[in-house]
Amino acid sequence: MYYTRFDPFTRDFQRLARNAFGQAPAPALDVVRHEGDVTLKLDVPGIDPDQLEVTVDRGILTISGKREEERTENDKFFVRERTMGTFTRRLRLPETLNADAVEASYANGVLEVRIPVTEQAKPRKIEVRKVEIAQADDKQEIAA
């Protein structure tokens, strides 16, 4: 059984607070670790790629964007569920990621941010060496 917490008062209050300050909810985010990099994917359908900004400053990755409202003065909404405005997501990058080599791309409403893993953080195989211990005669002492 899955337990889902549903609190309509909290949901509505958060929605009103965001609307009052012009802040849209942050888009859904997936973070996947691959062998050589970490990939973030954000769903940003309907947002012009020119309205998206990805920055790194002192180890903080910031993704922000803006969805412009498309309406005229004479438009009257019957139903209005799409959120408009700006959003911002901030993520602290660990030192194991190369913040100087971040790449971002946009396709089919999905923003993909790729961050390479530093060389020292990549998995590596450690060689196990066999150590030979010389056998001493019973009469000789082994000096340590």
Side-chain angles (χ1 to χ4, degrees):
M1 179 192 324
Y2 292 102
Y3 174 74
T4 302
R5 184 174 167 218
F6 178 72
D7 184 355
F9 175 75
T10 302
R11 183 197 64 203
D12 291 341
F13 179 76
Q14 289 174 344
R15 181 180 53 81
L16 289 171
R18 281 191 302 266
N19 288 341
F21 296 108
Q23 188 77 13
L29 170 71
D30 289 339
V31 180
V32 179
R33 166 77 190 253
H34 304 285
E35 188 171 323
D37 63 22
V38 172
T39 303
L40 290 75
K41 291 185 179 183
L42 286 89
D43 289 338
V44 288
I47 297 180
D48 183 4
D50 293 334
Q51 297 293 322
L52 295 170
E53 185 174 277
V54 179
T55 60
V56 177
D57 183 23
R58 292 178 288 201
I60 304 292
L61 174 71
T62 303
I63 302 169
S64 56
K66 183 176 183 180
R67 178 177 283 141
E68 298 284 341
E69 192 161 11
E70 303 163 357
R71 72 179 228 183
T72 64
E73 283 184 27
N74 297 331
D75 291 346
K76 294 179 182 155
F77 287 95
F78 290 110
V79 176
R80 186 172 184 189
E81 295 179 346
R82 296 175 53 224
T83 56
M84 302 294 157
T86 61
F87 71 87
T88 301
R89 290 291 298 251
R90 287 187 179 90
L91 301 158
R92 178 173 298 281
L93 299 178
E95 292 180 10
T96 56
L97 297 180
N98 185 353
D100 295 328
V102 175
E103 297 175 356
S105 60
Y106 178 91
N108 299 322
V110 177
L111 174 65
E112 184 172 311
V113 180
R114 187 185 150 293
I115 311 164
V117 175
T118 59
E119 286 301 317
Q120 65 263 25
K122 289 183 180 176
R124 61 191 184 281
K125 185 175 180 178
I126 308 299
E127 179 185 345
V128 178
R129 296 180 307 198
K130 183 176 178 182
V131 178
E132 300 279 336
I133 299 176
Q135 298 292 330
D137 292 342
D138 292 327
K139 298 176 186 175
Q140 295 179 346
E141 292 183 27
I142 298 175

